[in-house]
Amino acid sequence: QATSVPNSTSFCTTIITATCDGIECDAVGGAISEATLVNNSTLNSNFVTCNGDACDADGGAISGAPLVNNSTLNSNSVTCVDGNCEAFGGAISGAPLVNNSTLNSNSVTCGGDDCRAEGGAIWNGGGLVNIEVNNSTLNSNSASCSGNRCSELGASVTAGDGSLILDCSIFNTNTSIGNCTGSNNIRSLGNNIDNGTTCIGGNVTSDKPNTDPGLDPAGLQDNGGPTQTIALLPDSPAIDMCISTCPPPDTDQRGVLRPIDGDGDDVAICDIGAFELEEGFNNIPGDANADGFVNLADLGVIINAFRGTPAPGNGDCNEDGFTNLADLGCVITKFRG
């Protein structure tokens, strides 16, 4: 039965799994199967596994959702073990549209002769289904295999026989296999960053292949808003470079209005990826108002962030991954020295 997940921060944890054992068995959708919408949600550390000859496992967090929007999918995984087994879509299987979202450290792994591991973050679900990725950040996803004649494809995305359409998105992996694969067609609408060349080959002048996207090395954290995101560094090549197609969306994943003039040239242009850099943004834990100091002025901003208004700075003073009332005492302690 189709479901809608409109607002579910920390929606799923490691207790949500899908497993199967046996020849040609199928395991799908570690957390969600056949949702109509996943919005403003966090799906973290879900997994799908199968064990058996020619078994199939796909969709570490989601199997089947027409739209994933303003959401974070982190450390989800798909694993299969045995000959001819298949592991697809570490975070998502069969989501035609991924918008304004962060997919971080998801993985697919297979072990066995002739096994296949494809789409560390996203797999199209098979056949001619197209995938469109807009204004999103895909970071540190991976696909790996072990066994004779095994295959590992698409650390970030595998489109199968469908088309992969990319717009104003970041693809960054620390593996050697490349971010994207699509046997039929990979089409860039421009303004994408790939730290390799498999998603974008340089045919569109506004794309940036072989480019470090300048992501915050602290990685996924509470930067304000309902879900964790990965901030841009002040010198990131993503800043003010989503030139032709934004807005929409009118906000970034956190709810910060787009566009903002991030490079100081007095022209407001959207940033590439799920995060829009605001003037004065910093990652000092507790400096919720981004004035460069942790003091009593941050308390009201933290309270507002807890109630749903994005903080311009980092309100997560105690660095537990969330901006909430527990950070108030931390701010007072830091202010007192």
Side-chain angles (χ1 to χ4, degrees), residues 7-220:
N7 293 283
S8 293
T9 57
S10 299
F11 179 76
C12 299
T13 65
T14 52
I15 63 171
I16 309 297
T17 66
T19 63
C20 76
D21 296 280
I23 296 173
E24 297 184 353
C25 72
D26 297 313
V28 299
I32 298 171
S33 180
E34 302 303 326
T36 57
L37 168 67
V38 177
N39 186 55
N40 286 338
S41 299
T42 297
L43 288 89
N44 184 65
S45 300
N46 305 284
F47 63 90
V48 174
T49 62
C50 76
N51 297 276
D53 185 62
C55 70
D56 295 322
D58 65 82
I62 301 169
S63 179
L67 172 62
V68 176
N69 186 63
N70 289 347
S71 294
T72 291
L73 287 79
N74 178 60
S75 296
N76 302 288
S77 64
V78 173
T79 303
C80 76
V81 180
D82 214 331
N84 299 292
C85 74
E86 297 177 335
F88 296 150
I92 300 171
S93 168
L97 178 58
V98 177
N99 183 61
N100 232 15
S101 294
T102 301
L103 285 76
N104 182 70
S105 296
N106 303 287
S107 64
V108 289
T109 307
C110 77
D113 292 349
D114 300 298
C115 73
R116 298 167 62 192
E118 300 183 12
I122 304 171
W123 177 55
N124 75 329
L128 296 174
V129 177
N130 296 333
I131 301 171
E132 188 169 347
V133 181
N134 300 320
N135 304 93
S136 293
T137 300
L138 284 77
N139 180 62
S140 296
N141 301 291
S142 64
S144 61
C145 75
S146 60
N148 295 320
R149 302 172 302 279
C150 71
S151 65
E152 50 190 26
L153 299 172
S156 293
V157 186
T158 293
D161 293 324
S163 293
L164 175 56
I165 303 166
L166 311 175
D167 185 25
C168 284
S169 293
I170 292 171
F171 301 89
N172 187 54
T173 182
N174 51 14
T175 70
S176 61
I177 66 170
N179 282 294
C180 298
T181 57
S183 60
N184 186 42
N185 181 37
I186 298 178
R187 182 161 63 97
S188 170
L189 302 182
N191 314 300
N192 298 287
I193 295 177
D194 182 357
N195 72 327
T197 59
T198 54
C199 297
I200 50 176
N203 296 325
V204 179
T205 57
S206 61
D207 282 337
K208 296 180 181 298
N210 288 317
T211 299
D212 184 334
L215 299 176
D216 184 353
L220 197 66

Side-chain angles (χ1 to χ4, degrees), residues 258-323:
R258 296 186 191 258
I260 292 173
D261 175 22
D263 61 6
D265 66 354
D266 296 325
V267 179
I269 298 173
C270 294
D271 298 339
I272 298 173
F275 183 93
E276 185 80 7
L277 185 69
E278 315 102 295
E279 183 179 357
F281 178 85
N282 64 66
N283 284 316
I284 301 172
D287 182 18
N289 64 1
D291 65 355
F293 304 95
V294 177
N295 53 35
L296 300 183
D298 296 299
L299 298 178
V301 181
I302 289 173
I303 292 172
N304 288 335
F306 176 67
R307 292 172 173 169
T309 301
N314 183 359
D316 183 18
C317 182
N318 62 8
E319 299 183 74
D320 66 351
F322 304 96
T323 297

